[in-house]
Amino acid sequence: MLGFNEPEFLSQLASTVALRHPIEELADRLVDEGFDNLFLVGAGGTYAQMWPYEQLARRISTLPVRAVVAAELAVAGDATLGERSVAVFTSVSGTTEDSLRAVEFCKSKGARTVGFTGYADSPIARSVDVALVSEAKAWPFDPQMLLLMGRLFARRGEFEGYEKLADELADLPRVLLDVARQADAPAAAFAEAHKDTDYHFLVGGGNLWGFTYLYSMCILEEMQWLRTTRVHSAEFFHGSLELLEKDTSVIVFQGEDETRALTDRAEAFAKRVSHDVTVFDTRDYALEGISPRFRGLLAPLVLDTVMGRVSKHLERVRDHSLDLLRSYRVMDY
Amino acid sequence: MLGFNEPEFLSQLASTVALRHPIEELADRLVDEGFDNLFLVGAGGTYAQMWPYEQLARRISTLPVRAVVAAELAVAGDATLGERSVAVFTSVSGTTEDSLRAVEFCKSKGARTVGFTGYADSPIARSVDVALVSEAKAWPFDPQMLLLMGRLFARRGEFEGYEKLADELADLPRVLLDVARQADAPAAAFAEAHKDTDYHFLVGGGNLWGFTYLYSMCILEEMQWLRTTRVHSAEFFHGSLELLEKDTSVIVFQGEDETRALTDRAEAFAKRVSHDVTVFDTRDYALEGISPRFRGLLAPLVLDTVMGRVSKHLERVRDHSLDLLRSYRVMDY
């Protein structure tokens, strides 16, 4: 597959699920010692990636869980952040400045801090109370977050079947490799058909809203300099729909949670206006070895894998490197 | 002023602050009876308008307060929604279907429901436990939300000076009329200069993030069919900034809360790349009679008034009615 390093893909993912036991020990210790609330802190893509876990908490748990923007937390604070709080951070490089400032802010309030990163000697890994380190460049952090949140909620009596989920996650490298292989041809076809498309309209909901935001902002805008709009499928009918024309490229992300019907509603409407609606649906993938009841939880991971193939093909057909930045970490600010 | 009905503007606003006493009685009753958490439920513009009050709660209160999307709440639920919950709704027409479904959902869980609307005999007014009715078409709902949240937090010992704030809000019609008058000339100038601009990049943070989302999605996209991207100023550096070119129209919304520095940072960067950065800053308005410490809380109201003038001038120069919808409530879905 184009731009796909299979051994690296497998070993990076394996390194994330290999954190199961330290993650469980951490979760057990937190529950045993007691804590009042959980802050899931990120910046850009890592903020987006926290959203599914606030959303999961809203659905199944009475624990106060908030996904928060690192830079905002550090300046505006939070009245519930204190010694009985736990703050979780993720950063591939372990150097994201906004997140590092937020770690220091949380520590100054007495909160316990946890960091997932790929570099043990990075500033964030050295700054947090507990650093859990996967292989360098491993992304996304959903496996670690599923293990952490799953175990916490299981220990609180709010999530049944955690052991089975954690067992099944051990197979994630193979499961997602199958996804990547199956996604490659449709991804190439999408890219070829949209070589000259300069505007995409992205829709997603439920635990895929974070990924919708991420793919719009951090991939199409940041890495391909393409204009986009992004809208939550539950909000689609309250504004953005008026933008649709018959040739508007609409990208729909569809998963398998309770909000599926809301995205179906947006998709059906979009197809009545535009003839260029592309649906990326996790239901199209077998995910062999994953129990039906856990499939919905894995949607952000599956879509990340699928759209990773799309990104590589867009890079090729548009001759625009995904690594080319003209502003971020290029200009000072 | 163009498309400005001064008596109506004044009387609509007066009708919102006239709700002070019933709002205070409601807040007092809720506090006296006790409740565990607060859901601020909306759809599109009314969802956006709830955000400042979740953000205020995060900063000053330990009460769990969540701004939620009506359609999503009704299908995905919330584990903390129950008999000890209060759910607040706003709807100008009182007919928004997503919100009406969410009212019924909240009631089915035993939550107490409160609705602000302009029509006493509307479905939402008739469905909620407590309906607080302002003049028909009165918008936005910030005065009512400031009174409700202010009183609740005051009664919880988390907000000092509520009485003074509520007293000062009585003058809001005059204060905002002054804002509209002052904003009209710059609004006209902005519209003239952007008559042919087909893409705007919107940035805002803090308690203006909701308004940034609203102005992008519900005004420029929905009512002017203009393409936009919208980004929280704390997230600006994590993607969207790469889109900036020297002629990109950047609209910055600036308020007066703790996050001002984050928006300053985004503005300064944007100005280094683009020569078309327009800042709408609440600091430019005197707000005579409003204490300095309350100015930040009023930022969404001030910006709504300012941008209301911009919308009217855009409508004129672009010859595109703000009332022209090709999809919403025109096509079935």
Side-chain angles (χ1 to χ4, degrees):
Chain A
M1 280 186 283
L2 176 77
F4 189 81
N5 183 332
E6 185 174 313
E8 192 176 89
F9 178 86
L10 293 171
S11 69
Q12 286 177 357
L13 269 171
S15 78
T16 66
V17 292
L19 291 171
R20 173 178 176 176
H21 291 298
I23 289 171
E24 291 180 353
E25 282 168 20
L26 168 67
D28 291 349
R29 193 161 69 245
L30 292 172
V31 172
D32 292 340
E33 293 171 4
F35 67 104
D36 291 343
N37 52 25
L38 190 56
F39 290 81
L40 308 178
V41 190
T46 57
Y47 167 61
Q49 231 178 42
M50 291 304 195
W51 174 248
Y53 306 100
E54 172 177 331
Q55 202 252 359
L56 176 63
R58 288 187 183 206
R59 282 166 48 219
I60 68 170
S61 175
T62 59
L63 179 70
V65 176
R66 277 181 181 168
V68 294
V69 178
E72 186 167 43
L73 180 67
V75 301
D78 189 300
T80 63
L81 178 69
E83 291 179 8
R84 305 252 324 151
S85 301
V86 176
V88 180
F89 299 82
T90 64
S91 172
V92 173
S93 66
T95 62
T96 315
E97 284 179 26
D98 284 357
S99 296
L100 192 57
R101 268 191 294 271
V103 170
E104 296 304 334
F105 179 78
C106 291
K107 287 169 70 177
S108 77
K109 299 290 177 187
R112 279 162 287 180
T113 55
V114 177
F116 294 103
T117 168
Y119 298 87
D121 59 352
S122 62
I124 288 176
R126 280 187 272 112
S127 182
V128 291
D129 298 325
V130 179
L132 291 158
V133 181
S134 49
E135 193 173 299
K137 299 185 188 167
W139 169 270
F141 291 96
D142 294 273
Q144 297 98 307
M145 291 302 295
L146 280 171
L147 291 164
L148 176 63
M149 302 299 280
R151 181 71 163 203
L152 286 175
F153 295 144
R155 281 291 312 273
R156 293 169 50 88
E158 298 172 325
F159 182 55
E160 271 190 57
Y162 167 75
E163 290 294 328
K164 191 164 168 56
L165 170 65
D167 289 348
E168 292 180 5
L169 287 178
D171 242 0
L172 209 50
R174 182 199 49 75
V175 169
L176 293 180
L177 178 60
D178 288 348
V179 170
R181 284 181 175 145
Q182 182 184 335
D184 197 53
F190 174 86
E192 298 284 356
H194 295 87
K195 181 176 183 299
D196 300 315
T197 304
D198 60 0
Y199 176 77
H200 296 275
F201 183 120
L202 283 79
V203 187
N207 69 353
L208 290 173
W209 166 240
F211 184 74
T212 308
Y213 173 85
L214 183 156
Y215 200 76
S216 161
M217 185 171 84
C218 308
I219 307 292
L220 296 178
E221 291 190 347
E222 178 169 8
M223 298 186 179
Q224 289 291 306
W225 307 355
L226 283 167
R227 292 176 177 180
T228 73
T229 197
R230 45 188 170 261
V231 66
H232 192 293
S233 56
E235 287 278 275
F236 173 82
F237 291 100
H238 299 285
S240 304
L241 82 166
E242 298 289 340
L243 280 176
L244 291 182
E245 299 186 7
K246 67 178 192 304
D247 59 351
T248 306
S249 169
V250 181
I251 298 174
V252 178
F253 293 135
Q254 182 58 289
E256 298 171 58
D257 66 17
E258 296 84 344
T259 64
R260 189 173 168 97
L262 297 175
T263 304
D264 280 342
R265 183 173 73 153
E267 176 192 331
F269 184 89
K271 284 179 170 169
R272 288 173 58 199
V273 179
S274 169
H275 58 66
D276 188 14
V277 178
T278 310
V279 182
F280 294 98
D281 188 343
T282 63
R283 233 187 222 175
D284 295 338
Y285 297 88
L287 312 184
E288 213 177 305
I290 302 295
S291 299
R293 63 176 162 146
F294 298 139
R295 290 181 56 95
L297 290 175
L298 266 59
L301 267 168
V302 173
L303 259 291
D304 184 88
T305 307
V306 170
M307 297 311 291
R309 300 313 308 145
V310 171
S311 303
K312 284 294 178 188
H313 287 286
L314 279 176
E315 177 177 51
R316 170 179 59 87
V317 302
R318 302 188 69 244
D319 194 23
H320 183 122
S321 167
L322 292 163
D323 302 319
L324 187 62
L325 299 179
R326 50 185 165 185
S327 299
Y328 187 63
R329 294 190 179 187
V330 173
M331 292 172 68
D332 288 333
Y333 46 85
Chain B
M1 282 185 280
L2 177 75
F4 190 81
N5 183 331
E6 187 175 312
E8 191 177 271
F9 178 87
L10 293 172
S11 70
Q12 287 177 355
L13 269 170
S15 78
T16 67
V17 293
L19 291 170
R20 173 176 177 179
H21 292 297
I23 289 171
E24 290 180 353
E25 281 168 20
L26 169 67
D28 291 350
R29 194 161 68 244
L30 292 172
V31 172
D32 292 340
E33 292 171 5
F35 67 104
D36 291 344
N37 51 26
L38 191 57
F39 292 80
L40 308 178
V41 190
T46 56
Y47 167 62
Q49 230 177 43
M50 291 302 194
W51 175 248
Y53 307 100
E54 172 176 331
Q55 201 252 2
L56 176 63
R58 288 189 183 204
R59 284 165 47 219
I60 67 170
S61 176
T62 59
L63 178 69
V65 176
R66 276 181 183 168
V68 295
V69 178
E72 186 167 43
L73 180 67
V75 301
D78 189 301
T80 62
L81 177 69
E83 292 177 8
R84 305 249 325 146
S85 301
V86 175
V88 180
F89 299 81
T90 64
S91 172
V92 173
S93 67
T95 63
T96 316
E97 286 179 25
D98 284 357
S99 296
L100 191 57
R101 268 192 294 272
V103 170
E104 296 304 332
F105 180 79
C106 291
K107 286 169 70 178
S108 76
K109 299 291 177 188
R112 278 162 287 179
T113 54
V114 177
F116 294 102
T117 168
Y119 298 87
D121 59 352
S122 63
I124 288 176
R126 280 187 275 114
S127 183
V128 292
D129 298 325
V130 179
L132 292 158
V133 181
S134 49
E135 193 173 300
K137 299 183 187 169
W139 169 272
F141 291 96
D142 294 273
Q144 297 97 308
M145 291 301 297
L146 280 170
L147 290 165
L148 177 63
M149 302 299 281
R151 181 71 164 204
L152 285 175
F153 295 145
R155 282 290 311 272
R156 293 169 51 87
E158 296 171 328
F159 181 56
E160 273 190 57
Y162 166 76
E163 291 293 328
K164 189 164 169 59
L165 171 66
D167 289 347
E168 292 180 4
L169 286 179
D171 240 359
L172 209 49
R174 183 199 47 77
V175 169
L176 293 180
L177 177 61
D178 288 348
V179 170
R181 284 182 175 146
Q182 182 183 337
D184 197 55
F190 174 86
E192 298 284 355
H194 295 87
K195 181 176 181 301
D196 300 314
T197 304
D198 60 0
Y199 177 77
H200 296 276
F201 184 121
L202 283 79
V203 188
N207 69 353
L208 289 172
W209 165 239
F211 184 75
T212 309
Y213 173 85
L214 183 158
Y215 201 76
S216 161
M217 186 170 85
C218 308
I219 307 293
L220 295 179
E221 292 191 347
E222 179 170 8
M223 298 185 179
Q224 288 292 305
W225 307 355
L226 284 167
R227 291 177 176 179
T228 73
T229 197
R230 42 186 171 262
V231 66
H232 191 294
S233 56
E235 287 279 274
F236 173 83
F237 291 101
H238 299 284
S240 305
L241 82 165
E242 297 289 339
L243 281 176
L244 292 181
E245 299 186 9
K246 67 179 190 310
D247 58 353
T248 306
S249 168
V250 181
I251 298 173
V252 178
F253 293 135
Q254 182 59 287
E256 297 171 59
D257 67 16
E258 298 84 342
T259 65
R260 190 173 166 96
L262 296 175
T263 303
D264 280 341
R265 184 173 73 153
E267 174 191 333
F269 184 88
K271 284 180 169 167
R272 288 174 56 200
V273 178
S274 169
H275 57 67
D276 188 14
V277 178
T278 310
V279 182
F280 294 98
D281 188 343
T282 63
R283 235 188 222 175
D284 294 338
Y285 297 88
L287 312 184
E288 212 177 307
I290 302 295
S291 298
R293 63 177 163 146
F294 298 139
R295 292 180 55 95
L297 290 174
L298 266 58
L301 268 169
V302 173
L303 259 289
D304 185 87
T305 306
V306 171
M307 297 311 290
R309 299 314 308 147
V310 171
S311 303
K312 285 293 179 191
H313 286 286
L314 279 175
E315 179 178 49
R316 170 178 59 87
V317 302
R318 301 188 68 245
D319 193 21
H320 182 123
S321 165
L322 292 162
D323 301 319
L324 186 63
L325 300 178
R326 52 186 164 186
S327 299
Y328 186 64
R329 295 189 177 185
V330 175
M331 292 172 67
D332 288 333
Y333 45 85

